[in-house]
């Protein structure tokens, strides 16, 4: 890891882990105008490594995936680098939901570029993930720019799908756990998109995975998508609605594997139970490039 | 899981996990005179299951191992049940270190039965682990009483070694990560044993793994012990001193595998990196019984 003139990087923690190295870093991000934090797992061996970005869900920071997902043993075996950023801007200047709700503001950036005051000054998470974070990872770590994938959970599954579908030349592999697939149609998404983007629903479509797939007509050519969903997930029927994405993919002839798991909930215990399959999915695609 | 007349058990959380089930439970413990919390991972399949108890280190609760160790995938594959309790009594009546230090009082029970006021009323963690917790697990879960092992980290490595060495008919397999092996000789242990047991060092020997091994003379017959230790552990030279345990085992002709790992620290990232080897160690012994 080295710093560059573009992007000074502060190392907050370094741990040997599964034969590789896990680090937590901070940097000043141009898009969000604040200090952002992320973790990087570097597998053993020589890079450049195929790299998967993980986007977390509501209330999370970079720490949840890093400590709870149990991803790094398989990542080490596969030679995958994994980058896990925070879920929103942070800091004394960053506004939060007036009611400090868990589903808007801090911890709930929804991976959009906000256009509405007071959010637009800092809540630029789409640009942060696809530009600032990407660039500092490329500049500072042994990441192979041609072999990058993206995955996430819940709000972060929404982020992974939307950013992946909009940037197919950048993200070559896609997967999600219990994603919000149709934010325009569910309460979490309607609150977030309405707040960050305003009432004009035409602006929401760029941040709606179902809308993005449907816009591809009947000949979508995105990489095959893997989604795992727990059947005992408390948010399944009101907020997640994977059947909407299944329908959209069917209409667009998009390759989707949607696995429904009896008994599994929305927690990191669910993620940890199936994360190895996602890493295998990404590695199979990225290593074949 | 069923409750019994002896020990009402409250389920706080249940998660499907790696094909098995992870639960967090509370019960009123006779030894500690307070509500105690622990987690149980039940592997898929039919019991009774060989079972390993995990004892955590300073500042931890039952949650640290449960969420961070990444142990349950291998446990599921091996058919091992894993029980992870809290590290001290808790509650409004339970006294803490007057200075709220991290290394005494709450979160720092040291797996001893305290004899000194005001600690003796609640700090009875040896009895809690070997009696209350054991009995409620046997009564409520599909635990095979003839195939039980014990392992732990740091203070919990001390707990696993001392309780294991004192109760060989109960605990048939032993291992530890970065354990405190000679509490009588290091600051953490001297503070804890002095506080809980008083100044008579003769009382400390029953809670000192090196002393217990040495007391076996030159013909120790404990099960083979596996210890992993990180070389970049900040506590290695002052508090842990694995070489003292290595010397004691050599003198007692006790089978010990002590593995020193370059670059690894004291964190759960270290534990997660090698936990599968410990589960394999326990399974090999317990499943051969």
């Amino acid at each position: 890891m080295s710093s560059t003139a573009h992007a000074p990087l502060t190392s907050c923690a370094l741990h040997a882990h599964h034969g590789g190295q896990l680090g937590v870093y901070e940097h000043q991000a141009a898009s969000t105008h604040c200090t952002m934090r992320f973790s990087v797992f570097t597998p053993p061996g020589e890079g450049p490594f195929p790299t998967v970005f993980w986007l977390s869900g509501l209330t999370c920071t970079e720490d949840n995936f890093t400590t709870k997902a149990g991803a790094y043993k398989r990542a080490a075996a596969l030679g995958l680098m994994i980058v896990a950023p925070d879920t929103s801007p942070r800091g004394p200047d960053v506004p939060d939901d007036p009611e400090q709700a868990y589903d808007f503001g801090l911890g709930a950036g929804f991976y959009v570029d906000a256009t509405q005051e007071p959010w637009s000054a800092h809540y630029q998470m789409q640009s942060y993930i696809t530009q600032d974070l990407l660039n500092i990872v490329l500049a500072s770590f042994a990441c192979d720019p041609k072999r990058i994938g993206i995955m996430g959970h819940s709000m972060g599954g929404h982020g992974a799908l939307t950013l992946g579908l909009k940037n197919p030349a950048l993200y070559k592999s896609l997967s999600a756990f219990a994603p919000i697939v149709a934010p325009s149609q569910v309460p979490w998404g309607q609150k977030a998109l309405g707040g960050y983007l305003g009432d004009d629903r035409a602006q929401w479509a760029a941040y709606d995975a179902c809308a993005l797939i449907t816009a591809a007509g009947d000949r979508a050519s995105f990489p095959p998508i893997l989604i795992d969903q727990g059947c005992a997930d408390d948010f399944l029927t009101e907020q997640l609605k994977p059947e909407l994405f299944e329908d959209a993919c069917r209409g667009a002839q998009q390759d989707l594997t949607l696995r429904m798991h009896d008994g599994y909930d929305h927690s990191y215990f669910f993620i940890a139970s199936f994360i190895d399959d996602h890493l295998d999915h990404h590695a199979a695609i990225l290593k074949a490039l």
Side-chain angles (χ1 to χ4, degrees), chain A:
Chain A
M1 192 275 293
S2 64
S3 295
T4 74
H6 298 291
L9 193 60
T10 303
S11 171
C12 306
L14 288 173
H15 304 275
H17 194 34
H18 286 299
Q21 181 174 274
L22 180 65
V24 179
Y25 306 91
E26 282 185 353
H27 67 132
Q28 186 69 21
S31 57
T32 58
H33 296 286
C34 66
T35 300
M36 298 293 297
R37 188 175 275 224
F38 62 95
S39 76
V40 176
F41 175 74
T42 307
E46 293 296 313
F49 301 106
T51 300
V52 186
F53 287 73
W54 168 270
L55 303 185
S56 282
L58 290 166
T59 77
C60 290
T61 70
E62 80 293 339
D63 191 57
N64 300 69
F65 180 86
T66 308
T67 58
K68 294 184 177 181
Y72 301 125
K73 180 167 187 167
R74 185 72 130 236
L78 293 169
L80 286 179
M81 179 175 286
I82 304 186
V83 181
D86 200 352
T87 58
S88 79
R90 308 269 180 186
D93 299 331
V94 177
D96 193 9
D97 183 287
E99 297 175 354
Q100 299 189 302
Y102 75 98
D103 57 359
F104 193 82
L106 298 179
F110 264 85
Y111 307 101
V112 305
D113 285 346
T115 58
Q116 305 298 299
E117 296 291 344
W119 317 109
S120 53
H122 297 283
Y123 286 81
Q124 300 290 324
M125 288 298 291
Q126 173 176 248
S127 292
Y128 174 70
I129 300 296
T130 60
Q131 295 171 24
D132 299 69
L133 178 65
L134 174 68
N135 290 336
I136 201 164
V137 166
L138 290 173
S140 306
F141 300 89
C143 168
D144 184 342
K146 296 179 180 175
R147 296 188 293 166
I148 292 176
I150 193 164
M151 60 183 175
H153 173 231
S154 194
M155 175 185 75
H158 146 75
L161 292 175
T162 55
L163 299 186
L165 295 174
K166 285 193 279 187
N167 300 281
L170 170 58
Y171 302 113
K172 308 292 176 48
S173 55
L174 292 176
S175 76
F177 291 84
I180 302 168
V181 296
S184 306
Q185 302 181 53
V186 304
W188 274 344
Q190 291 166 341
K191 178 178 179 180
L193 299 183
Y196 293 129
L197 305 175
D199 293 335
D200 178 6
R201 289 188 170 225
Q203 305 301 316
W204 298 10
Y207 298 106
D208 185 303
C210 282
L212 291 167
I213 286 283
T214 300
D218 60 358
R219 49 205 163 118
S221 57
F222 303 108
I225 298 171
L226 171 62
I227 293 179
D228 278 319
Q229 172 65 56
C231 297
D233 186 323
D234 287 340
F235 305 109
L236 175 58
T237 56
E238 186 182 9
Q239 306 282 7
L240 303 178
K241 297 182 181 291
E243 66 279 6
L244 297 178
F245 195 68
E246 195 170 36
D247 289 346
C249 286
R250 188 180 299 115
Q253 300 194 41
Q254 165 60 36
D255 184 341
L256 168 70
T257 301
L258 169 62
R259 307 192 302 183
M260 302 297 296
H261 299 281
D262 280 346
Y264 283 84
D265 60 25
H266 200 66
S267 71
Y268 269 81
F269 299 117
F270 162 60
I271 295 169
S273 297
F274 300 102
I275 188 70
D276 285 359
D277 293 345
H278 285 243
L279 299 178
D280 290 347
H281 169 81
H282 288 272
I285 295 170
L286 298 177
K287 293 168 96 167
L289 294 176

